[in-house]
Amino acid sequence: MDGSCNNKLHPTWGMSFTRFGRLVPANYADGYYAPRLAKSGNTLPLARVLSRILSPDKKIKDKKHTALVMQWAQVATHDLIQSDFRDDTEETNCCSEKGKLVRDPAKYPLCYPALVPKDDPDYAKLGIECFNLFVRRNTDVARGCAPCNGVQNQLTATTAYFDLSLVYGSSDEEAASLREFKGGRLLADIRGNKEWPPNSKTCVKEAEICYKTGDRRTNLGINLAFFGVALMRQHNRMAQELSKLNPHWDDEKLYQETKRIYIAISQHITYNELLPIILGVENAYLEKITYDTTSYVNDYNSSVHANALGEVSAAVLRSFHTLLSADYNMVNENRDPPHGKANVNNLFNNPTIVEKGDNYDCAMRGLATNPQQGADQYYDKMFTIDLYLGAKIVITDGRALDIQRGRDYGLGTYNQYREFCGFPRAVKWEDFLDFIPFEDVMDMKSIYESPEDVDLSVGGSVEKLATGSLVGPTFQCILNKQYYRARVGDRFFFENGNCGNPFTLDQLNEIRKYTISRFICDNTDTVSMQRRGFVQISNGNPLVRCELIPKINLSLWKE
C-alpha cells in the first residue's frame, strides 16, 4: 500500500512519505531552507501582486473539452501527489484568523506569511494583511531525517504511482479502515437504496453527511465529494460481479483482483484519454507516454526513479486551477438548462448537497456536459478574491498561495527550467517573447527586477499553449518527465507483460476498451453519454445510450 518494493533494486523509490524529486537544484536564499530572494538580494515581489496583475478574472470557456477533463485531472493529481502538511502553530504561522500579521517573521524562521500589500484594491478595504491559510510544508529535516543534497526537501504523503491511493489509501492501516472485509468490498453506507462512502467526522459541524475515503481532501471541494462517491462505487460494483463469476474466491482475493483491474482502468483513462488532451496527442506519443498498440508495451526500467516531482506539486499542476469554475451546473438526462448549481465556496467541507434529490446524478452528468474554463492565465475571481476555505481561514487568493508554494519548495526560477528543457535562457526581457505574449512580458518587467527572478509558476502559466495541448512548452516539458517516470518506473504498470503481475493480452485489451464515459454510465443512473466524455457533445460526438458504450467483460477473469 505504501509503494515499497515496487522497485526491487531500490525498495524505497516511490514510497509514501519520501522526498519529492527535483529537476533542477533547490533554490533557497541560504542554500538550505530560507525562501528565494531576487538576484539582487532584495525580496521578491509579493505573490498577491503577481496574482492580481497576471491572473485577472476573465472567463473564457474551453471550446472543445468538458469539465470532466478538469475533474479527472484532479483525480489523477490527488492519486499521485499529496504533500505532507505541517501543523499550524505560532511557530509556523504569523498570520491571525482575521488576516493580521501578529508576529515578526524574522523571529520565527518557520513562518513565511503570504502578505497582502497595503494598497491592495480588493483586500485592503477588508483590513487583510496576510492570508492565514499558508503554512510551509513539512520536510525531511522536520520529520527527523538528514537533509538530502544539503537542503531541506518536502515530502509526499502518497505513493508516486498511479495506484488509486485516493480510493484505497497509502498505508496498510488506512486501507484496512476502508474495507468491509466481506466480498472484497469497500465500506459503504446505504441510504435511499444507494451506496455512499462511509461517514467521517472531518467536515463542518453543520454538514449532514461527510465522507471517508483514501483522500483527506475528498470533502474540501464539492466536485471531489461527488466524484468520491463514483470512485467508491466502481470498486464495489466490480467486486460484486467478480464474486458472481468466481464464488470460490475469498474476500482477500476479490479485493486484490478488483483493485488490480480498477487501477489498470484508471491508468488507461489517464494515459490514453486524459494525457493526450493535456500534453498534446503528438507529444504524448513522441515522448513515449502513450502508445497505440494491442500488444504489451514492456517499458519498465528499474533505473528510472518514479518519484513525484516538487515542480509538478508546487507549480505545474497548480496552474490547472485556471480550469476551475465558481459554480458547477447540474443537468438532467435531457441536458436541459441547469436546474441547480453546486457552488464551490458555499459547499466547502460540506458535501450534504450530494445526496439531496437527484443531485449526484445531475452533477456527474453536468461535469460531462458543461465546458471547463479555458486553459489560460485567467482565474475566476472566486479563486483569487473570494475563496472561502473555512470559518477560521480569512478570505484568500488561491493563486497567490500557489505562487508562494513554489517559493516554499525552493523551486528554481522559470529561466532555470527553460534551460533544463533545452530552451534559450532569457538574458533580457524580450527573450521571453518566444513563448510569452508581449503584454505579459511587459507586466512581468514592471513587477520583477530581472528576468532571472521570474517564478516557474508565473512564467509557465503565461506561456502560449504548446500545439494541441493545455499547457505551454515549459510545463509540457516538466509534465512529460513526470508522467514518463510514473509509467516506466512502475513495475506494475498495466501495460507491462513481463514483470509485476501482468494481465493476459485478452484481459489487457479488454481494459483498453474502457472509457471515462463508461465510468459515468456505470456509477450513476445516467442512461446516455457521448462516447468521448472529455469532449463536448456535438454532431460528431453525440449522446448515445449507455448500452452502446463498451463495458469491460469481467468474464475474462473467471477461474
Side-chain angles (χ1 to χ4, degrees):
M1 293 304 301
D2 63 3
S4 60
C5 297
N6 183 303
N7 189 311
K8 293 181 177 180
L9 298 179
H10 307 279
T12 63
W13 282 11
M15 279 184 63
S16 55
F17 289 98
T18 54
R19 299 175 180 92
F20 282 103
R22 296 181 184 273
L23 294 178
V24 305
N27 196 334
Y28 290 120
D30 60 356
Y32 182 64
Y33 191 54
R36 181 171 67 90
L37 298 173
K39 184 180 180 181
S40 66
N42 295 328
T43 57
L44 288 166
L46 294 182
R48 166 59 190 162
V49 172
L50 290 162
S51 169
R52 183 174 64 81
I53 299 299
L54 289 160
S55 303
D57 177 42
K58 189 174 181 180
K59 296 175 179 61
I60 302 175
K61 298 287 188 183
D62 189 313
K63 295 180 180 179
K64 182 177 181 180
H65 302 110
T66 65
L68 203 52
V69 169
M70 173 280 302
Q71 192 53 55
W72 191 264
Q74 190 173 41
V75 167
T77 297
H78 283 208
D79 191 4
L80 188 70
I81 290 171
Q82 180 182 334
S83 300
D84 182 24
F85 285 69
R86 191 189 294 269
D87 291 338
D88 187 339
T89 67
E90 288 189 2
E91 296 292 326
T92 62
N93 198 342
C94 299
C95 191
S96 74
E97 292 181 6
K98 295 183 179 180
K100 300 293 185 182
L101 191 64
V102 292
R103 283 176 288 279
D104 182 0
K107 297 179 181 178
Y108 293 84
L110 292 180
C111 185
Y112 183 38
L115 299 173
V116 176
K118 294 180 179 180
D119 60 350
D120 190 282
D122 301 303
Y123 288 101
K125 59 189 176 185
L126 302 175
I128 294 175
E129 301 173 350
C130 51
F131 301 124
N132 71 320
L133 177 64
F134 192 87
V135 175
R136 299 195 74 180
R137 292 287 194 255
N138 240 343
T139 66
D140 44 9
V141 173
R143 287 287 187 183
C145 301
C148 181
N149 296 323
V151 299
Q152 294 200 39
N153 296 273
Q154 290 69 28
L155 304 174
T156 175
T158 61
T159 72
Y161 305 107
F162 284 105
D163 57 3
L164 286 178
S165 57
L166 75 169
V167 175
Y168 299 110
S170 295
S171 69
D172 290 340
E173 181 181 9
E174 187 177 19
S177 74
L178 296 167
R179 291 179 61 176
E180 185 178 323
F181 289 101
K182 182 179 180 181
R185 295 165 47 82
L186 295 174
L187 283 171
D189 293 339
I190 307 298
R191 288 185 288 273
N193 208 29
K194 303 282 187 183
E195 284 192 334
W196 308 97
N199 184 60
S200 170
K201 297 180 180 180
T202 58
C203 295
V204 295
K205 61 181 180 181
E206 58 266 28
E208 297 176 24
I209 59 170
C210 188
Y211 296 138
K212 179 181 180 180
T213 72
D215 185 3
R216 61 184 286 184
R217 299 159 289 189
T218 292
N219 299 292
L220 301 184
I222 191 59
N223 282 347
L224 280 172
F226 278 110
F227 229 80
V229 175
L231 290 167
M232 178 276 296
R233 287 182 177 180
Q234 173 78 359
H235 174 96
N236 283 355
R237 184 186 57 77
M238 291 197 303
Q240 183 174 5
E241 188 172 346
L242 286 169
S243 70
K244 291 178 181 178
L245 291 167
N246 297 287
H248 56 289
W249 284 5
D250 63 12
D251 169 72
E252 186 66 17
K253 175 75 170 179
L254 282 166
Y255 172 79
Q256 295 296 347
E257 282 300 301
T258 303
K259 178 183 171 186
R260 185 169 75 102
I261 299 167
Y262 190 6
I263 288 173
I265 286 172
S266 73
Q267 290 176 345
H268 166 65
I269 291 173
T270 297
Y271 274 79
N272 294 309
E273 284 195 88
L274 179 71
L275 292 183
I277 291 172
I278 290 177
L279 300 177
V281 174
E282 184 177 345
N283 171 78
Y285 285 117
L286 180 66
E287 296 294 329
K288 294 181 169 41
I289 291 167
T290 300
Y291 290 81
D292 183 10
T293 180
T294 56
S295 300
Y296 296 112
V297 176
N298 292 333
D299 57 348
Y300 174 65
N301 186 338
S302 61
S303 68
V304 173
H305 195 334
N307 54 353
L309 296 172
E311 292 87 356
V312 172
S313 172
V316 183
L317 289 179
R318 290 174 181 273
S319 72
F320 287 174
H321 287 143
T322 184
L323 305 179
L324 296 173
S325 297
D327 300 289
Y328 288 92
N329 295 330
M330 294 185 283
V331 301
N332 62 20
E333 189 64 53
N334 294 327
R335 273 60 172 187
D336 292 328
H339 72 271
K341 294 179 181 289
N343 181 273
V344 174
N345 265 355
N346 295 343
L347 301 171
F348 174 77
N349 210 17
N350 183 358
T352 302
I353 188 177
V354 175
E355 297 183 32
K356 298 292 186 182
D358 60 354
N359 282 348
Y360 167 72
D361 293 317
C362 291
M364 294 293 286
R365 201 181 291 121
L367 288 171
T369 303
N370 298 300
Q372 66 179 359
Q373 291 294 321
D376 49 42
Q377 70 191 80
Y378 307 114
Y379 286 71
D380 193 297
K381 69 182 181 68
M382 176 277 297
F383 190 71
T384 59
I385 299 174
D386 302 323
L387 188 59
Y388 173 78
L389 295 172
K392 295 184 178 182
I393 304 297
V394 72
I395 296 298
T396 296
D397 179 349
R399 175 61 181 150
L401 299 193
D402 287 346
I403 297 169
Q404 188 93 343
R405 186 62 65 200
R407 297 172 180 179
D408 169 31
Y409 272 54
L411 298 186
T413 65
Y414 171 58
N415 234 352
Q416 285 179 278
Y417 290 99
R418 281 176 59 105
E419 190 171 53
F420 170 84
C421 291
F423 306 135
R425 189 179 188 111
V427 177
K428 54 185 184 300
W429 287 103
E430 291 74 14
D431 294 339
F432 285 146
L433 292 172
D434 54 354
F435 295 153
I436 301 176
F438 177 80
E439 289 184 5
D440 295 317
V441 172
M442 291 301 101
D443 281 339
M444 290 193 298
K445 182 178 180 180
S446 71
I447 302 171
Y448 288 103
E449 291 180 0
S450 163
E452 293 289 349
D453 296 337
V454 177
D455 296 273
L456 171 63
S457 181
V458 173
S461 295
V462 295
E463 287 185 345
K464 291 172 282 191
L465 301 185
T467 302
S469 80
L470 299 185
V471 289
T474 304
F475 280 178
Q476 182 189 56
C477 161
I478 294 171
L479 289 177
N480 285 343
K481 303 295 184 186
Q482 179 67 83
Y483 293 121
Y484 178 81
R485 290 180 179 210
R487 71 165 293 149
V488 175
D490 182 359
R491 183 162 57 93
F492 297 98
F493 196 78
F494 83 107
E495 290 181 309
N496 291 331
N498 57 5
C499 61
N501 188 10
F503 297 102
T504 68
L505 205 52
D506 285 342
Q507 290 172 341
L508 175 59
N509 284 313
E510 193 64 25
I511 288 166
R512 286 171 169 152
K513 295 177 183 177
Y514 205 86
T515 61
I516 189 65
S517 293
R518 186 70 246 173
F519 179 87
I520 300 297
C521 288
D522 279 342
N523 299 293
T524 69
D525 288 337
T526 294
V527 299
S528 63
M529 271 289 294
Q530 67 272 37
R531 292 181 185 274
R532 290 174 288 148
F534 289 143
V535 178
Q536 294 169 27
I537 300 165
S538 66
N539 290 336
N541 191 36
L543 288 173
V544 299
R545 294 191 66 80
C546 278
E547 53 259 38
L548 297 178
I549 296 174
K551 296 182 178 181
I552 184 170
N553 179 11
L554 290 177
S555 67
L556 291 173
W557 281 264
K558 184 175 181 178
E559 292 182 349

